[in-house]
Each structure stands twice: as C-alpha cells, then as structure tokens.
Amino acid sequence: MEERIDKIRQQLHAHSYKLTPQREATLRVLLENEEDHLSAEDVYLLVKEKAPEIGLATVYRTLELMSDLHILQKINFGDGVARYEFRNENAEHHHHHLICVMCGIVDEIHEDLLGEVEQAVSDKFKFHILDHRLSFHGICHRCIDKVDKNELANVRSNIPG
Amino acid sequence: MEERIDKIRQQLHAHSYKLTPQREATLRVLLENEEDHLSAEDVYLLVKEKAPEIGLATVYRTLELMSDLHILQKINFGDGVARYEFRNENAEHHHHHLICVMCGIVDEIHEDLLGEVEQAVSDKFKFHILDHRLSFHGICHRCIDKVDKNELANVRSNIPG
DNA sequence: GTAGATGCAAAACATTTGCATCAGT
DNA sequence: ACTGATGCAAATGTTTTGCATCTAC
C-alpha cells in the first residue's frame, strides 16, 4: 500500500503535480476497494468519510488526472457512470470483465484471450489494433443456482448497450 | 425497406403499441443510415428534416421502446452518448466493432470470433454467458497511411474507457 | 370515450468549468 | 509572491419525466 502511494507520488512529481492530501485520500480509497470498480460518486462518498471537506469536483479532477497519467483506467460498462480501476502497467492491453446480470458484480479476467483473434482481425480487416474492450454479460457462479427459467427472460434485460 | 417497416409494425401491434408517423419517421432514418451508429441527437436532427414538428423526447421514447422490444440495440462506445443499431435476430450475440482512433469511424465485424474463447471462459470461471461486447480500438485501413510515429502517441489518448 | 402517443418545458443525472481562495515552496 | 490545487456553485450535455393536449380506433 505505502509503496504504491510512494510510487504514484513519484509519478506525479515527475510531471510536477503534487500528491495533495485530497489526492492521497482518493487514491487510498481506490486502493482499499481495488476489486470494486468504483464510480466517481462512490469514491466521493467513501473519501468524504475520511476527509469530509473534500469536494466532488476534486475527486473528478483527481480521477481525470490519474487517468491521463495512465495510473487509473476509466471504464464504462454502459450503465451511465464511469468507473475507475488501476492500470496494470505490465499488461499490454487491459483485462476483461465478467458482469453478472443478477447481482451486478464485476469479476476480472487477467488472461489474454484474444491473441489469435487479434491476429485474425488485423489481417482480415487491415486494422492496426491498439487496444480492445471485451466483456461478458451473464450469470456468475454465485448466482447460477438461484436462477430459474422464468427469471432468465427478465435478467436478459439487464444487459446494457 | 417496406417489408422491414411492416414487420416492425406487426411487432408493435403484437404488444399493442402503434406505429405512429413519428415512430415510422424515426425508424426510416435509422434504416436509411444503418451503417452509421447514430446517437439520439443524430436521429432527432435527421428526423426533423422530414417531420419538423417532432420532439426530442419522442425520439428518445421511440428508441427506448424499440430497444425494449429488441428491435434496436443500444450501444455505448464510451464517448458519452448512446448509439442505436438494428438487432440481427438471427445472430445469437451481437457483432463486434472496429473503432478508428484517427477518424472515429465504426466498422462492424459480423464473424463470430469468440466461440472458443467463450467456451474457455465458461468452463474456467463457471460463468453462464448470455452475451458479450467486443470492440477493437486502433487505426482503420483508410487512415493507416496517414499516421506517422509522432502522431501515434496522441491518437492513443482517443481510446476511451 | 378511452388508452396510448406527443410536444414542450422542467427535472434529473453525471460531469466539467469559472473563479475566488488556499497551501506549499 | 508564485504556482498549482481546492471548494463551491454555476454551467453543460445527455437523457428522463410531468402534464396538458392530441389522435386513432
């Protein structure tokens, strides 16, 4: 935790930005909830518990800055709010998501599934791929036993655009 | 074109909705621009040329209704606006997109690229897949010759969340 | 006539921006 | 003091909603 904060501090200083208390508090919230794909509003509410004077705009500006510096990745699951997660600087592309239409939980897949697919797309369409986005919408292992056939039609409508 | 309108009329009637002139005009705009992934605002401006009295809310309500009936698919490329395209009721899943970071054009891939990948994900994570979203961000064949190395760093920032 | 559909304006929502103030060097 | 960062409020942009009116059967 502390090493990661220190490393980000250095990255900020390298671009002559400061790691202010607000920025640090925001980053700590994200680090403590790394599994959760928080929205700006989520982060704001959690940061407010520790630093009640912080403003929503500062949270947005911090998230924006961290995204510009490639420390965070802004992601969009189609539900109308942006979410943020740490970038893995080793991975060439960002990872994939399993989104459960029953409980809404988002799991991550870190395997690179698309090597061959990218090659095929690149060849066939003469498209130079820089990155990709892949998500699966369905029912997670925690919910699969709770589902009956009648429900299936309804949960399908939880798949966003 | 007319057959497709007729078919949609029947689908609407089956749910006791009407194909009003406004809805028909909206659908015709979408049919005439099927390649273009129009936003609600885009549709509104185009419909207004034919039916100037139409309101933006009606366009939104029509797009929403068509999405509920699975006639349209609402999609989100992460640029802050929803876009709409016709669903292919034969295809099990929706198709994939190639998004050019230079010119912004969105091409479609209709091949099913993910059969094996889905099987692997399904087995490994015990996740029951209902649908997936896959998009590639990169440089299309029309732009590839225009790019030089200096630009590459800049266009990367056009990849959204 | 009744139920659904429309247009307009207002509201809602996420996000961004202007600006005066504040903090660290 | 200077530069960047903050908090607040106002502005923005997209989408939704309330409501009175209209339309089609």
Side-chain angles (χ1 to χ4, degrees), chain A residues 65-81:
Chain A
L65 175 62
M66 300 298 157
S67 299
D68 287 349
L69 293 178
H70 294 171
I71 293 166
L72 296 178
Q73 171 69 46
K74 187 176 182 176
I75 49 179
N76 198 313
F77 294 134
D79 60 352
V81 293

Side-chain angles (χ1 to χ4, degrees), chain B residues 87-95 110 112 131:
Chain B
R87 279 210 192 193
N88 177 351
E89 62 242 51
N90 304 320
E92 188 167 341
H93 299 301
H94 92 20
H95 52 257
H110 291 276
D112 181 11
D131 201 359

